[in-house]
Amino acid sequence: RGPAGDFVYGKFSELNEEERMMKYDEFRQYDAKCREEGVLFFKLLFVADKDSIASTLGKRLAHKHIVKDLHTWLDANSVEHFREGLEEIERHIDPTDFVAFNMYEHNLHVFTEFARNTDKMGPIGPWTVVSTSKRHPARLRLLQTFERELKKFAKK
């Protein structure tokens, strides 16, 4: 989830305005230090629309239900079957996903504020906002961003 996630889900969510500004400044200093030390630092903000998130949650719920049915069938079968991978599917969704979904607008606002308040580095290393609603364009955007930033970095 990255440092911005701490402002949504972690201990920074309860900070007052002055404390938040101090944390933003710490992030900006870390960003600058990375650049001074020759570390290429990408700042990516992944954003999906609420409908695509709902669709993904629906698919994950359906997968979880299928896994439950598979367990029932495998338990009833007299032949030993391997169950590798089923646990991973079951863990792919949990109640916190629905809490986050219900807080979508608030969380988006907090993530956006974090990006706005830590993007004062000028043309070098700005935040790149990537819409993840459609995977293929998102992947292309990431590749283009990496290529552009690597070229800038190589010129230094």
Side-chain angles (χ1 to χ4, degrees), residues 70-85:
L70 274 171
H71 278 299
T72 302
W73 180 81
L74 293 171
D75 290 342
N77 199 319
S78 61
V79 178
E80 181 66 28
H81 295 279
F82 294 103
R83 298 174 187 230
E84 290 137 8

Side-chain angles (χ1 to χ4, degrees), residues 9-120:
Y9 308 110
K11 60 184 178 183
F12 299 155
S13 64
E14 312 258 330
L15 297 178
N16 65 38
E17 183 71 16
E18 183 180 340
E19 293 167 325
R20 245 190 341 272
M21 290 301 157
M22 287 173 43
K23 291 296 177 188
Y24 294 152
D25 190 49
E26 283 178 26
F27 182 85
R28 287 190 299 269
Q29 288 174 22
Y30 178 75
D31 185 3
K33 183 179 177 188
C34 285
R35 292 180 195 298
E36 287 169 12
E37 294 179 3
V39 175
L40 181 56
F41 189 64
F42 287 102
K43 296 184 292 190
L44 304 168
L45 178 60
F46 297 101
V47 179
D49 63 75
K50 200 169 182 180
D51 288 341
S52 67
I53 295 170
S55 174
T56 299
L57 287 175
K59 289 173 191 173
R60 288 181 182 172
L61 275 175
H63 292 159
K64 192 170 186 166
H65 184 72
I66 290 167
V67 166
K68 182 180 170 191
D69 289 347
L70 274 171
H71 278 299
T72 302
W73 180 81
L74 293 171
D75 290 342
N77 199 319
S78 61
V79 178
E80 181 66 28
H81 295 279
F82 294 103
R83 298 174 187 230
E84 290 137 8
L86 294 182
E87 278 185 36
E88 184 179 333
I89 294 169
E90 287 177 308
R91 286 192 312 261
H92 211 112
I93 191 166
D94 66 46
T96 62
D97 293 321
F98 295 98
V99 171
F101 180 74
N102 289 329
M103 298 287 293
Y104 174 83
E105 286 84 8
H106 169 75
N107 293 347
L108 181 59
H109 173 74
V110 174
F111 278 114
T112 304
E113 280 302 302
F114 181 84
R116 262 193 222 120
N117 283 287
T118 58
D119 197 35
K120 302 194 172 125

